[in-house]
């Protein structure tokens, strides 16, 4: 890396300063030689300054001094105890707990916690994408997004969990993952005090209180509070495709996720483990119930009429229909009404010839699971099959 001839200078796109000092590795230019020398350390990692409290390293001693504030009690959040390098960083962080978003987009009225977030968001409306990938030429609104994208090409995952050694391409994903091990839930709802491990979870939860449902189905105008709920609705309500087949019993599914959950019935896999004891569970709901009963972790949803407790708000809502004698699920083919969506789904098989359950021995299809189980026992005796199939 050298200083170029005085005749070989370029102007920076954001100002008219000449930058005669060139980095021969990345072609970045600088106005002063000492700035080039500091920059060189990015590529060589020579003479970096290490933090004595963690493994972070810095090019400049001044950067290290600023970083050390995060380990002191000088700028510490009173809500979650997290330390920060400056008072401004702490102030921005506090907005995550309070939900304050003082910066508003003049085009779409969306609000943000920082002016930088608003500036980057404005590029969505202007269409500006100044950051370009030199491999696939995809463009991005932010340099950070480009940097993260480059790891798609390099397969780099530099952020590793020290507990289970799982690696991540982004530090934010690692931080969120670590909360699974620690149980930390720093984002608390100001209305009901329910806590979340990620800020996105709190944002979506708040819609329970506000009733906001920004995602609308273009086919039936039904609205949802989450984008994935809209996608699931379209797949279940407006499509009959079931491309995923169980290799054990032939049952067909609309999503790979549902097939994966179903296969556990056959394999007896228990992927959900308790962080307090050695117990493992097949379903996430079983783990949540175990945490509530055995370790007093989590929140029960209690019926205010009969006092019965439920694991989820959805279960409580379905239960409340019994007291109100409400049957909100209406069959589109006949006048029958049902309290639960599962009851309606089971009933709708009466009106269709669709058969989703298949005998793996003779390939005969059936409408209902109990029919294929009964048939399979007879079929297995005929062909002399002794392999244990679980339904």
């Amino acid at each position: 890396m050298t200083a170029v001839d005085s005749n070989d200078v370029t102007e920076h796109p954001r100002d008219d300063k000449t930058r005669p000092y060139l980095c021969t590795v990345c072609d970045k230019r600088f106005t002063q030689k000492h700035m080039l020398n500091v920059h060189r350390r990015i590529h060589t990692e020579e003479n970096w300054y290490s933090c004595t409290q963690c493994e972070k390293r810095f090019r400049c001693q001044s950067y290290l001094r600023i970083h050390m504030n995060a380990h002191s009690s000088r700028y510490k959040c009173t809500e979650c105890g997290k330390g920060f390098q400056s008072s401004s960083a702490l102030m921005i962080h506090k907005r995550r707990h309070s939900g304050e978003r003082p910066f508003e987009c003049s085009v779409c009225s969306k609000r943000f916690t920082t002016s930088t977030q608003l500036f980057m968001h404005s590029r969505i409306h202007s269409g500006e994408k100044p950051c370009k990938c030199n491999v696939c030429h995809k463009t991005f609104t932010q340099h950070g997004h480009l940097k993260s994208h480059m790891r798609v090409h390099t397969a780099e995952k530099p952020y590793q969990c020290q507990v289970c050694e799982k690696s991540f391409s982004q530090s934010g994903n690692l931080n969120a993952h670590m909360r699974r091990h620690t149980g930390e839930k720093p984002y608390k709802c100001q209305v009901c005090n329910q806590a979340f491990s990620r800020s996105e979870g709190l944002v979506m939860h708040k819609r329970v209180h506000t009733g906001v449902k920004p995602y609308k189905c273009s086919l039936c105008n039904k609205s949802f509070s989450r984008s994935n709920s809209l996608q699931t609705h379209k797949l279940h309500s407006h499509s009959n495709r079931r491309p995923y087949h169980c290799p054990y019993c032939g049952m067909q599914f609309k999503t790979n996720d549902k097939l994966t959950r179903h296969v556990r019935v056959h394999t007896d896999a228990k992927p959900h483990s308790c962080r307090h004891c050695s117990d493992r569970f097949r379903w996430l709901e079983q783990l949540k119930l175990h945490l509530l009963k055995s370790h007093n972790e989590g929140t029960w949803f209690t019926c205010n009429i009969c006092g019965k407790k439920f694991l989820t708000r959805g279960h409580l809502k379905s239960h409340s229909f019994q007291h109100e004698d409400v049957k909100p699920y209406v069959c589109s083919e006949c006048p029958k009404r049902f309290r639960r969506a599962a009851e309606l789904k089971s009933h709708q098989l009466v009106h269709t010839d669709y058969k989703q359950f298949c005998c793996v021995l003779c390939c005969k299809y059936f409408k209902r699971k109990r029919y294929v189980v009964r048939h399979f026992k007879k079929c297995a005796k005929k062909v002399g099959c002794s392999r244990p199939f679980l339904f």
Side-chain angles (χ1 to χ4, degrees):
M1 301 171 192
T2 61
V4 296
D5 295 338
S6 59
N7 294 329
D8 186 15
V9 294
T10 59
E11 292 186 352
H12 198 272
R14 284 177 285 187
D15 57 45
D16 56 0
K17 293 179 181 178
T18 56
R19 288 173 162 75
Y21 298 96
L22 172 70
C23 172
T24 56
V25 177
C26 65
D27 295 330
K28 193 171 184 178
R29 292 178 179 272
F30 300 87
T31 57
Q32 300 176 36
K33 188 174 182 179
H34 84 271
M35 294 174 67
L36 171 62
N37 291 335
V38 170
H39 167 79
R40 288 179 59 191
R41 294 173 186 165
I42 294 176
H43 305 298
T44 63
E45 294 195 10
E46 293 177 358
N47 301 319
W48 281 51
Y49 299 92
S50 298
C51 174
T52 56
Q53 303 295 317
C54 65
E55 298 180 356
K56 285 191 176 180
R57 301 168 73 237
F58 301 88
R59 302 196 308 274
C60 300
Q61 198 169 22
S62 59
Y63 293 166
L64 174 60
R65 282 197 297 269
I66 295 171
H67 164 77
M68 290 302 293
N69 288 328
H71 297 297
S72 71
S73 58
R74 187 177 182 184
Y75 304 112
K76 183 170 283 189
C77 176
T78 55
E79 293 281 335
C80 64
K82 189 174 182 181
F84 293 88
Q85 298 177 3
S86 64
S87 59
S88 58
L90 173 59
M91 181 183 68
I92 291 171
H93 166 79
K94 282 184 175 180
R95 290 173 185 158
R96 291 191 172 187
H97 296 298
S98 66
E100 181 189 4
R101 297 187 175 193
F103 302 95
E104 184 176 353
C105 174
S106 59
V107 179
C108 67
S109 299
K110 190 172 182 180
R111 305 187 70 90
F112 300 88
T113 54
T114 68
S115 58
T116 303
Q117 290 174 344
L118 174 59
F119 173 74
M120 293 302 179
H121 165 80
S122 67
R123 288 177 173 171
I124 295 175
H125 301 299
S126 66
E128 181 187 5
K129 292 184 177 181
C131 308
K132 188 175 183 179
C133 173
N134 57 13
V135 179
C136 66
H137 307 299
K138 190 174 182 178
T139 55
F140 300 87
T141 57
Q142 301 179 39
H143 178 71
H145 292 170
L146 170 60
K147 188 176 180 180
S148 297
H149 163 79
M150 290 304 296
R151 292 177 184 141
V152 172
H153 301 298
T154 63
E156 181 189 8
K157 292 185 177 181
Y159 305 101
Q160 188 177 57
C161 174
Q162 300 301 310
V163 179
C164 65
E165 298 185 352
K166 188 174 182 179
S167 296
F168 300 87
S169 60
Q170 299 181 42
S171 60
N173 291 341
L174 171 60
N175 292 336
H177 165 81
M178 285 301 297
R179 295 183 189 125
R180 293 187 176 184
H181 298 299
T182 64
E184 180 190 5
K185 294 183 178 182
Y187 305 102
K188 185 177 287 187
C189 175
Q190 300 298 315
V191 179
C192 66
N193 291 326
Q194 188 172 345
F196 300 86
S197 59
R198 304 186 69 153
S199 59
E200 297 90 337
L202 175 58
V203 170
M204 288 188 288
H205 165 78
K206 283 182 176 179
R207 293 172 186 157
V208 173
H209 302 298
T210 63
V212 173
K213 295 183 178 181
Y215 304 100
K216 182 176 286 189
C217 176
S218 58
L219 298 173
C220 67
N221 290 325
K222 192 172 182 180
S223 296
F224 301 87
S225 59
R226 302 185 182 193
S227 59
N228 61 338
S229 297
L230 171 59
Q231 298 304 320
T232 301
H233 160 77
K234 284 184 174 180
L235 187 64
H236 288 185
S237 302
H238 303 298
S239 172
N240 288 322
R241 290 186 64 249
R242 293 176 181 263
Y244 302 97
H245 296 249
C246 174
Y248 296 95
C249 67
M251 189 175 178
Q252 300 167 314
F253 298 89
K254 289 187 175 182
T255 65
N256 187 50
D257 179 61
K258 287 198 169 184
L259 170 61
T260 301
R261 285 173 56 85
H262 165 79
V263 166
R264 292 175 198 160
V265 174
H266 302 290
T267 62
D268 200 32
K270 296 180 179 180
H272 302 286
S273 59
C274 176
R275 57 175 161 267
H276 302 293
C277 63
S278 59
D279 286 357
R280 301 185 67 88
F281 302 90
R282 184 182 296 167
W283 315 118
L284 180 60
E285 294 81 3
Q286 292 173 330
L287 171 60
K288 288 182 177 179
L289 187 62
H290 165 79
L291 288 171
L292 278 164
K293 287 185 173 181
S294 302
H295 304 291
N296 198 28
E297 181 182 320
T299 305
W300 287 105
F301 295 91
T302 307
C303 175
N304 56 14
I305 297 176
C306 67
K308 192 172 182 179
K309 294 181 178 181
F310 296 89
L311 187 63
T312 68
R313 190 183 300 275
H315 292 160
L316 172 59
K317 185 178 179 181
S318 296
H319 164 79
S320 66
F321 293 151
Q322 296 180 13
H323 297 299
E324 302 166 4
D325 197 28
V326 174
K327 295 183 178 180
Y329 300 99
V330 185
C331 178
S332 58
E333 302 294 331
C334 72
K336 279 195 173 183
R337 306 177 69 94
F338 302 88
R339 289 194 180 95
R340 298 189 303 120
E343 293 173 349
L344 171 61
K345 186 177 178 181
S346 177
H347 162 77
Q348 285 177 329
L349 292 173
V350 172
H351 302 295
T352 179
D353 291 327
Y354 180 70
K355 299 176 181 179
Q356 62 172 315
F357 298 97
C358 176
C359 173
V360 293
L361 299 178
C362 67
C363 295
K364 188 174 181 178
Y365 281 84
F366 299 84
K367 278 187 179 182
R368 301 185 185 276
K369 181 179 178 178
R370 64 176 181 270
Y371 296 162
V372 73
V373 170
R374 185 170 59 198
H375 163 84
F376 177 81
K377 291 177 180 178
K378 295 179 180 179
C379 194
K381 288 181 180 178
K382 288 182 181 179
V383 299
C385 177
S386 59
R387 180 184 174 183
F389 283 80
L390 302 173
F391 289 93

